Structure formats: C-alpha cells, structure tokens
Amino acid sequence: MVESTATDPGSPASVVDGPAHPGSALDRNARLRAALSSHFTSVWRMVQALGVPAASAEDVAQRVYLLFSNKLDQVRLGSERAYLMAAAVRMAANARRQLARSLEHPSDDIDGAADPGPDAEGLLEAKQARRLLDQVLASMSYEQREVFLLFELEQLSLTEAAEALGVPRGTAASRLRAARSVFQAGVQRLRSQMARSGGHR
Amino acid sequence: MKARRLLDESPDPLSAALLRSWAERAPEPGAITRAASVLGVSAAAMAPAAALGATATAATVSSHASLLVIGKWFIVGLAGGAVVLGSAEATRRAMSTGKQTEAVSAQVSAPPAKPSRSGLPGVVVPVSEPEPASSAGSLPVRRETDLAGAASATRAVPSIRWEIAALDRARQALSAHDPAAALRSLDHLEHKGPSANFDQEAALLRIEALGALGRHTEASTLTQKYLDRYPDGPGSARMRALIKSQTAHQR
C-alpha cells in the first residue's frame, strides 16, 4: 500500500491535479512499456535496498507499476521516473513494515562481519562490491538510505528526491549529508578491515 | 544550486567501486516480461510463461490449498490486466453476472470528487478513503462463498491501493497460518464493494483460506464457481488440470 502523506512534495514540476494525458490505449501501453523497460530495474533494486527481501522485491516492484498504471493519466510526461521512485520508496516502506524486517539496526556489523573481506581495492569482484555496498547502506538510518539511494545511486536530482520522499529540499539535503558521512565512515571501516586482513595494497 | 554527487567528486577507488556496483544489480531474467504481463501490456506473452512457472512448482505441492496458491500467481497477472484494460471488462462482467452493479462502472469512470495530494509526484487520491482495518479481529465475519458477493451501488468503492492493502493483509494472514484472519480481511474487502481490479485474486485467496480451515466443501464449491466464471482463461485451464491430477493422486 502506498500511503498518503500530508507533506506537500513541494515541486509542482511533476505534480498535476487532473488528468494530464488522457491518451489512447495505444499511448498508454507504449508509455507503460517504455517505463517498464527503462525503469523496472531501478524500481526493483530500490525496493530491495530499502529492506524488501529479494524473494518479494519483484512482487513489490510489480505493485509499484500497478499503481503507476492506475495513475498514468495523471503523471506528467517526463516525470515517470520520479513518480516510480517515489512509489517504490513508499511501497518498500510499507512492505518492510509488513514483513517486520528492519535494516535500521543491522545485525551485520561491518567490523564484525564474517566476510573475509576483499583482497584488494582494485580487485573488488562485482558481487563482492554489491555485498559491501549493502553493508554500508545497512549502517545508514532508513531515512538516510532513502535519500542516498535516490540521489547518489539512482541519480535523481535533489529536488526530485525530496519530492519523492515528501520532504522539503533542505531536509533531503541534510539527510544526504548525514548519509554521505555514514557512507564514508563505512568505506573507511572497510578499508581498515582490508588492511587487517592483509589484502590492502 | 545543483548538488554534486559522490561519483562526480572523484571518490577513492573503493568508494567508486561500491557506488558503481549499484548499477550492476538487476532482477532475474524475465522479471520485466512478467511485470508487463501483470500490467496487461503484453498479456498474450504472459500466460505461457506463468503456466510454465506454475507447472514447475506444481510437482511439489501436496495439498489442494497449496495447489491454488500457485494458481493465484496466474491470477495476479490477469488482475493486473484488468486494471489496464479496465472499464470494458469490468462492465462486461457486471452485465454477465448481474452481481456487479453500477458501483463498478462508477469506479472506472468517475473522477474523484475531492482530490488531494497523495505525496507521490503527479498523483491525486480521493479524500476520506477507507483504510483497511488494522486489526482483523475487529472485522465483521460474513460467510460469503459467492465470488462477487452482494454489491451495492451506494457503497463507497475502495481504491486500488486500499484493495491491495486488504489483499496484502489476507496474504500475510495466510502466510502466518491464520486463515480465519485472512477470511475476515477478504470479507471486509468484499463488504466495501466488488473488487473490479482484484476479484480473481481475492477469490483465490478465499479458496486457499477455506481450504486451510478445513472447509473443503466450500472451497470446492467456490473453486467450481471460479472455473465456471473464467472457463477459458489460461489460469482456469491450468487450475482445472492441476485439481484433476491432484484428485487422482489423492485417490
């Protein structure tokens, strides 16, 4: 379920108060297909990174698109990605609550993780890098992670990210600064871990 | 002022490697096709893929209810198609069954009277939308084995998000081995009005819940009604075959 929020997104650029593109069924389908091919992967990885288990991520991503389909006529052309990201954030939060699965207090402490650690920065395997990124993301608060994912990883503008989160731009910027600090601290811990394991060079 | 991203600021190699690894994440192959099918964008291509998935899993099921859980995923796609294909199908069903009345047409044709911001970019939602009950125990229990239930034109038709939430509660209750709570949630959904978007999935969940409660006669009756209503759908055909094989296996 996507929950409403009393906070005005604050950016009228992608907000419309009525049907913006009535369009034909053909137009709708073309638009849906384009949104799927361009953004489904982003939606999927967003919901997963926001705490939805891998087994449920596809299901939640599909729900995001069902909602998008339902509101398609009201989403301004060019704002599809921002809309989908916003819906993904909210759907993921809801799914996460439902599944009672919290990443805000991760059990995998980076320093104490059983992971043997990368052997060298330059030799990070892709899979290993993804796992390490997960560890760093897990050390952020949920709110920090949301804005970090949207801005740093999904490349939304700060204004779009704030809109997606339903917070003022300044709040988003503040959370982003905090998230970056946590990220950099996490990377530093990883680097120390690598040095301890003897792989750092 | 445009904010700069970490990757724009020449981060150290480790940071860059972590950040770039994000783009390498991808869902399993076929995920986009399945989503397209759910949306009804390429429904023709969806059914065989879903049938294959159901077939592969069917070999391991050992109960009638479990069998229907598999069929449910079929229906998720069909229900998604209904969302997109919308009013024509909903109206056709209403006319053919005589049980889904003006409420359905109102849902698919009438704009919200008093829109309010949903918090999502580009979205308005109706105000005073009913929220799903937070406690299943507070819901009225109504044993209704008809698929459509009694529709009232005067009822407020729940939105798609409300329906999804109600179905989620039912699913969650089933996952928690609480079929009675699942039934209550489905009853509540039905009480609010016929679900033009997810009626097939709701029916499947109800069948599953009834089976889990040991109310096999009701489950069988509802299953038959379901198959009677959707005799030609790929999901129905597959369900029929699975039930037949399961019955033979039990003998």
Side-chain angles (χ1 to χ4, degrees), chain B residues 221-244:
Chain B
T221 303
L222 195 54
T223 301
Q224 192 55 53
K225 286 186 177 182
Y226 178 90
L227 293 173
D228 288 344
R229 172 168 289 190
Y230 309 108
D232 300 323
S236 295
R238 184 62 199 156
M239 279 184 63
R240 196 179 288 110
L242 290 171
I243 291 169
K244 187 176 178 181

Side-chain angles (χ1 to χ4, degrees), chain B residues 16-113:
Chain B
L18 296 187
L19 293 169
R20 292 195 178 107
S21 75
W22 176 256
E24 296 163 4
R25 296 166 191 244
E28 63 182 48
I32 295 178
T33 303
R34 287 191 290 275
S37 302
V38 167
L39 295 172
V41 177
S42 56
M46 176 264 180
L52 285 174
T55 304
T57 315
T60 62
V61 299
S62 59
S63 72
H64 188 85
S66 297
L67 204 65
L68 296 172
V69 173
I70 296 161
K72 177 178 70 178
W73 289 105
F74 246 123
I75 305 311
V76 171
L78 296 177
V83 172
V84 175
L85 299 176
S87 59
E89 174 62 12
T91 305
R92 185 191 67 76
R93 283 206 304 266
M95 292 176 67
S96 64
T97 62
K99 291 179 179 176
Q100 297 185 7
T101 59
E102 294 83 351
V104 174
S105 298
Q107 182 186 23
V108 298
S109 61

Side-chain angles (χ1 to χ4, degrees), chain A residues 58 63 98 156 180, chain B residues 4-5 12 34 171-172:
Chain A
E58 185 177 332
R63 288 165 189 278
Q98 288 182 341
L156 264 63
R180 282 175 166 177
Chain B
R4 286 171 59 84
R5 295 186 172 82
D12 63 274
R34 287 191 290 275
R171 269 193 222 99
Q172 201 173 14

